[in-house]
Structures are given as C-alpha cells and as structure tokens.
Amino acid sequence: MRIHRGSMAYDLGRMLEALSVLLFASLLIPFVWQEWWAIPSLVCSGVLPLGLGYILTHRFEHSGDSGRLHGMMIAASGWFLVALFGSLPFFLLAWTAQLDPGLLGVPQRYTTPGTQAFGTLGVFRHPINGVFESMSGFTGTGLTMAVHENTLPRTLQWWRSFIEWVGGVGVIVLTTAILARPGSGSLTLYESEARSEKIHPSIVTTVRTIWWIFLLFTFFSILLLWLAGMPIWDSINHAMTGLATGGFSITDSSIGTYNSSIIDFTLIPIMLLGSIAFPVHYLILQGDLKNFYRDLQTRWVFIFFGTGTIVLTAVLFRQGLYQTATVSIAGVTLHGTLATLIQSFRYGLFQFVSAASCTGFQTANSLGSEWAPQAQLTVAAGMVVGAAAGSTVGGIKLIRLLTLLKGTLFRIRGIFYPSSAIRTFRLDGRALSGTEASQEFEEAAIITVLWLVFLAIAAFVLLVVLPIGSGTDAYTVENVLFEVASAQGNVGLSTGITGPWMPSVTKVLFIFNMWIGRLEIIPVLVLLRSLFVYRGVYHR
Amino acid sequence: MRLDSIPVLGPLFGAGADDHVFDLLLLSGPLIICVIGFLHRSFVSFVLALSYAAGFVAYIGYRYTTMS
C-alpha cells in the first residue's frame, strides 16, 4: 500500500485553513466583550494553522484525488490535527493570564491565585487539558476540564460553543462548504466523516444545504431559549451546543443552573432537532411533516426516546429522589405523589433525551452519587445507542441497532424456511437482496462490536487507574461504564470522574475514545494501521 | 441584488430550500439577536423574537397544508 502523502497533505492543509477561518471569525467576540487581552492569543492561534495550511495546500496543489482508504486517513488525521490546533486558544489565553504582560490589561481575577477564574483558566496551561477540551468540543462530547465554566473569559466560552457547533455537523462538511475541492475528493472525504446522506446530487450543494438548515435552526433555537427566559449570551451558547448535541455549557451546573422547567422543556425540541437526520429536516422544511413518522429512523427516535423516558421516570420515581410536596406547571399546582411523579418525569425526560441525543446537558446534579445504578445504566444505554445516523449525534446509532435486531430475526426465521425459498429483507422501505442484507448486517455488526470492544478496554483501564469501591472518594463500576460510554458516545454527561484532577493516562484515553467515537472507529483504525505499517512497527 | 450573489454567504443562501420566506428568516435571525443584545428584555425585543419563532413554525405548517 502506498500512502499518497501529497493528496493527504493537501486536504489536511484545507482543513487547517478552514480552522483558521473559524479562529479569525471568533475575533468578533473579544471586540464585543472588550476582552482586548484575548486578541493576540486568538490571532496567533489563527495564524499558525493558516500558515501551515497555506504551505500544504500550495505545495501539494496538484496531487490529485484521494481514494476511499486515503479519505479515511485524511478524516482521522484531519480531526486530530484540528483538535490539536483548536486547543491553541485555551493554551495561549491561559499563559497570557499567567505571564500577565502589563500592556494587555488582563483582568485581575485571571491573574490572582486563589480565585475561581484563575484556577479554571489555569488548568489550560497544561497542553493536554486544552487538547482534551478541544477534542471534546469538536467531537461534540461536552466533557470538560473547566471547573467553573461561568468564570472563563467570554472568548473561550464562545470558542468552546463554536467548535461544538461546527463539530456537530463536521469539520470536513465545513471545509467542503467553504473550500470546495474539485473532482470526486469531496465525496470521499464526506463519507469518511461518518456521513453518507445526500440531499442533492452534488456533494458541495448538499453540505451547503446542511449548513443552511443548521444556521436557520440555530437562530430559531437561540430565540426560543431567550423567550423561555435565558439571558441572550447564554441562549446563543446553549442553542449552539444543544442543536449540535454537544453539551458544553457556560454555567457551572449546566442547565440545572437555571432551575427552570420552561427552559428544560424548551431544550427538548432543540436536542430532538439535533437528533434527526438532515435530509429529513430538509423535507420537513418543505412542508413534508409526514416524515416525522414515515422515516424509519425518525420514527424510532421518538419511540426510543419515549420508552427510555418512561423507564427512567419509573426508576427515579421508585427511588424517590425527586420527592416534593408541590410542583407548579403553567399556573396549576400539583401536590403529593403526583407532584413527585411530575418532578421525576421532568428530570427523567431531560436526562434521557440529553443522553440519547448525545447532548450531555445536565439538570440533575447528582447523576453519579445519588442516582440508583438502574437509572445510571438506563441513561448509559441511551448514550450507547444514540439517535439517527446523518444527524449530529454519536453512539452506535439507531439504524444500526435496528439492522442488527431485524437482521437477527431474519436469520432466525430463515431456519424455518426451505433452503430454496427466496426471501427479501426489508429495511427502511428498501427491499434488500441476500448479499445486500448480509453487507448491511455485517457493517452494523462490525461497528457495534468494535464500539463495545473499545468501551471495554477503556473501562478496564479506568478500573485499574481510578480508586474503585464504596468510599467517598471512590467510584463504582457503574460510574466507570457510564463515563466511558459518555466519552465514546460523544455525550458529555459525567458522574464526576472527568475533570482536571483525572490522571493523565485517563485524559489521553478519553481523547482517543472521543476521537474514535466521532468518526465511528474504522477511519482511526485505518490511520493507525497505516502509520504502524509505514513506520515498520507492524508487518502485514 | 440576488441573495446568492452576496460574497462568502451567497452560496449558502443559494443552497437552501429555494424559498424566500426561509431566506428572510435566515437573514433576519442575526439582526433580531443583535436587537435583543442592544435592547435586552424589552417589549419590542420580545415581540420581535416571538414573531420570529411563531412565524417559523406557522410557515412550516402553511407549507404542509399547501403541500397536502
């Protein structure tokens, strides 16, 4: 196998150029919030990828199209590079505050040891924390190294939300939209980023339409959240991260900070929008609302979210964690058992939708310490499965689960038919031949098995590295499984394991899990295998 | 001036649902957010945001009725 370094370098250069566009566009934020001291860091962060990107694209301009294998390698290495360079604002801003050059006028709260702001920004002086945050952002995970998000500079609050927003749709989708590549290379790359849906025959028009839909929904979501009572800056950030099903928040206790059932319920349709495939959105905007139930995946998104919510509500209600004397909804006050049931439903609905949509917003502060293991595992199941393929969610995806379930039933039923019988496997309105069915079944099985294997490996490492037991500083096995599923499913819900206090080995492991989770594992394995073969570490 | 001739954002407008109402919503969204930024939570900003959100939902409903 020959590695077409020129073709790879050219595409990686384009991705870095696209990243620099994001960084320069973000310069608007320090101007609006008058965080002048953040400007040099942001400019440097933009200049570096721009310079490297410019050199690569000009040096390898005539390198030709990349094939499927190289598409996967470009997607995997590109996402890693983007996360790496995307960590620069965290790193440079933290060091600007630390060095405090008098000329820049860094606010005192960031330069005074002992303050929350100093401590929160200070963790990013360690590059690994910045890379973690950046990878978490771009992959739409939402696990964070920031302890007090509300004390972060507005520039970093924005950068975290912005990279989740972009990462939700995809870095390659962004690159293709603004720096269209001639030839068939765009389609290859697009498919390597765990996307296959096409709205139009042209891939460039498809990705532009995806952005068009995403922008429109973002403005709608911002205004919806503001109408629900959120301040406008919070609405902008949470609409972006909610729609992208990312889950970064700019408040300490995520959405729980507002303690508002109106805001909780307003975020449900926003997270649902992010869980539905873009082609379905396009048809819905055309007025074809029947797709809400006619499209297999969309129909199952509602069924899965509904069932999960009922189960989680029942577990929470039985546990009695949200026992309350009264609860008011739209001016009506409920008492006793009914009030507790409604309160359990409020938290159950929000947390299950947040988990299964892979958003990771939290309204329940005590997922790790107070929630029953059954509740944690119900949420973990939601995180592992995820929602619709072709949306912004992570996880295995509902369509794969359905393929596996229907395929297994198809195989079992096949035993009762004579071997000469001609049978058709039907999936999502398509009639598949035996070979096609086997191919789809195999693809779903491979991804699912790989997903579970990497989940098990990461869980094993965590069980070795972290204190496990029943003490106050120890974690349970459920906590570990929950956290790993959250990282690999790009969800972001946490039982308290993730934070700057984590051992470095777990940070690196989670960076890897988030990376493979976003790209659906295979492109990363292809890249690693090619690198090992190339370096002579592994021989075929 | 055609929307798709606007530099940088032009191709984005050209790629949408080919519907001027949605294009208008896409253009007016950031403007309303700016207005909210300046006026904060006032009657004017509230009415603007509510009109936008209601208009968005109502227009999808309208397209559904005209389609079926």
Side-chain angles (χ1 to χ4, degrees):
Chain A
M1 181 197 69
R2 256 185 74 228
I3 294 182
H4 296 273
R5 275 177 292 182
S7 161
M8 283 186 67
Y10 176 76
D11 283 313
L12 291 177
R14 287 166 65 239
M15 288 170 82
L16 288 175
E17 284 179 344
L19 175 70
S20 70
V21 171
L22 301 184
L23 282 154
F24 290 127
S26 298
L27 277 169
L28 184 69
I29 305 302
F31 276 103
V32 169
W33 287 104
Q34 302 181 346
E35 287 180 341
W36 312 116
W37 64 281
I39 292 174
S41 300
L42 218 49
V43 171
C44 289
S45 305
V47 166
L48 271 166
L50 179 67
L52 185 60
Y54 181 84
I55 292 167
L56 290 176
T57 47
H58 281 77
R59 170 80 179 76
F60 300 101
E61 199 172 358
H62 305 291
S63 53
D65 278 347
S66 43
R68 189 158 169 256
L69 173 73
H70 291 94
M72 286 191 177
M73 289 167 66
I74 291 163
S77 50
W79 270 80
F80 190 80
L81 271 185
V82 164
L84 203 63
F85 281 92
S87 71
L88 285 173
F90 297 104
F91 182 71
L92 294 178
L93 250 86
W95 275 102
T96 304
Q98 171 72 15
L99 299 172
D100 187 20
L103 186 75
L104 291 178
V106 181
Q108 216 172 8
R109 63 182 182 278
Y110 295 117
T111 59
T112 314
T115 61
Q116 282 189 350
F118 180 84
T120 303
L121 186 59
V123 300
F124 295 115
R125 288 198 300 273
H126 301 284
I128 194 164
N129 291 338
V131 175
F132 185 101
E133 198 77 2
S134 178
M135 183 63 90
S136 176
F138 276 109
T139 56
T141 307
L143 288 172
T144 182
M145 287 290 118
V147 182
H148 300 287
E149 291 100 318
N150 61 334
T151 62
L152 282 172
R154 305 278 187 181
T155 306
L156 279 189
Q157 287 183 345
W158 162 262
W159 182 240
R160 290 164 84 241
S161 305
F162 195 34
I163 60 180
E164 276 207 330
W165 187 72
V166 168
V169 178
V171 176
I172 291 172
V173 172
L174 173 81
T175 311
T176 310
I178 58 176
L179 299 166
R181 192 192 208 285
S184 61
S186 294
L187 175 64
T188 314
L189 286 175
Y190 179 75
E191 288 176 340
S192 305
E193 198 180 43
R195 289 205 174 275
S196 58
E197 70 282 2
K198 276 174 121 183
I199 298 172
H200 301 291
S202 153
I203 204 67
V204 175
T205 316
T206 294
V207 296
R208 284 180 181 159
T209 304
I210 287 176
W211 279 109
W212 181 91
I213 295 168
F214 204 52
L215 260 178
L216 192 61
F217 282 165
T218 304
F219 297 141
F220 175 67
S221 306
I222 291 170
L223 294 174
L224 221 51
L225 284 176
W226 183 78
L227 285 169
M230 221 182 241
I232 190 67
W233 176 247
D234 302 34
S235 305
I236 292 170
N237 285 278
H238 290 127
M240 287 167 75
T241 59
L243 192 63
T245 63
F248 271 154
S249 175
I250 60 166
T251 59
D252 273 4
S253 307
S254 190
I255 303 304
T257 305
Y258 304 103
N259 193 22
S260 156
S261 49
I262 298 174
I263 289 177
D264 293 0
F265 287 119
T266 306
L267 272 163
I268 300 290
I270 294 172
M271 293 188 282
L272 267 168
L273 281 176
S275 310
I276 295 172
F278 283 105
V280 175
H281 282 313
Y282 185 74
L283 293 172
I284 286 166
L285 286 177
Q286 306 276 3
D288 195 354
L289 298 183
K290 286 177 183 157
N291 272 286
F292 275 128
Y293 60 85
R294 208 167 43 198
D295 177 70
L296 177 82
Q297 283 206 92
T298 311
R299 188 168 65 241
W300 273 95
V301 164
F302 288 104
I303 294 172
F304 181 56
F305 285 17
T307 312
T309 301
I310 292 168
V311 172
L312 190 57
T313 303
V315 173
L316 293 175
F317 179 69
R318 191 164 163 265
Q319 195 189 346
L321 191 62
Y322 296 108
Q323 213 145 29
T324 178
T326 57
V327 68
S328 291
I329 304 168
V332 181
T333 307
L334 303 167
H335 303 272
T337 312
L338 194 57
T340 305
L341 182 65
I342 294 294
Q343 196 77 333
S344 303
F345 173 73
R346 177 186 157 191
Y347 287 101
L349 171 71
F350 190 91
Q351 286 310 163
F352 193 82
V353 171
S354 174
S357 66
C358 301
T359 309
F361 281 148
Q362 230 161 304
T363 49
N365 290 326
S366 46
L367 284 178
S369 53
E370 291 179 25
W371 274 35
Q374 296 92 321
Q376 286 187 42
L377 290 175
T378 307
V379 173
M383 297 193 289
V384 171
V385 175
S391 66
T392 63
V393 308
I396 291 170
K397 312 274 188 328
L398 272 169
I399 190 71
R400 291 209 180 91
L401 189 72
L402 290 169
T403 307
L404 283 177
L405 290 175
K406 289 192 86 171
T408 307
L409 282 175
F410 184 75
R411 295 276 165 114
I412 292 171
R413 281 184 190 140
I415 298 166
F416 298 97
Y417 285 84
S419 54
S420 56
I422 298 170
R423 299 171 64 228
T424 313
F425 181 64
R426 292 194 171 275
L427 186 73
D428 201 8
R430 293 176 299 146
L432 304 178
S433 68
T435 320
E436 287 170 331
S438 296
Q439 211 173 348
E440 297 235 355
F441 188 67
E442 196 180 276
E443 194 253 0
I446 288 171
I447 300 275
T448 309
V449 168
L450 283 174
W451 216 93
L452 296 175
V453 166
F454 281 101
L455 185 87
I457 293 171
F460 177 76
V461 175
L462 255 69
L463 288 172
V464 171
V465 172
L466 296 175
I468 305 294
S470 54
T472 46
D473 293 331
Y475 301 103
T476 62
V477 176
E478 299 92 65
N479 291 161
V480 166
L481 287 173
F482 187 98
E483 204 82 2
V484 176
S486 178
Q488 193 168 291
N490 302 135
V491 181
L493 290 173
S494 178
T495 55
I497 291 176
T498 303
W501 49 80
M502 268 202 313
S504 292
V505 65
T506 44
K507 287 177 189 170
V508 173
L509 187 73
F510 275 11
I511 290 171
F512 181 74
N513 283 114
M514 292 189 281
W515 185 35
I516 60 171
R518 179 61 180 84
L519 293 171
E520 297 187 338
I521 305 171
I522 291 175
V524 178
L525 295 185
V526 168
L527 174 73
L528 294 178
R529 182 186 184 276
S530 305
L531 284 177
F532 289 155
V533 170
Y534 181 69
R535 304 294 304 174
V537 177
Y538 169 75
H539 298 282
R540 283 170 289 165
Chain B
M1 189 182 76
R2 286 169 55 88
L3 279 177
D4 53 13
S5 63
I6 300 171
V8 185
L9 291 176
L12 192 70
F13 289 119
D18 221 4
D19 185 299
H20 290 310
V21 176
F22 282 131
D23 283 337
L24 182 71
L25 287 168
L26 193 67
L27 274 176
S28 57
L31 295 177
I32 295 174
I33 293 164
C34 286
V35 169
I36 293 171
F38 283 112
L39 298 180
H40 303 288
R41 211 169 276 276
S42 68
F43 178 73
V44 176
S45 55
F46 184 80
V47 168
L48 275 174
L50 193 64
S51 313
Y52 185 95
F56 186 93
V57 175
Y59 188 63
I60 293 176
Y62 166 75
R63 289 205 67 159
Y64 173 66
T65 51
T66 51
M67 195 181 192
S68 53

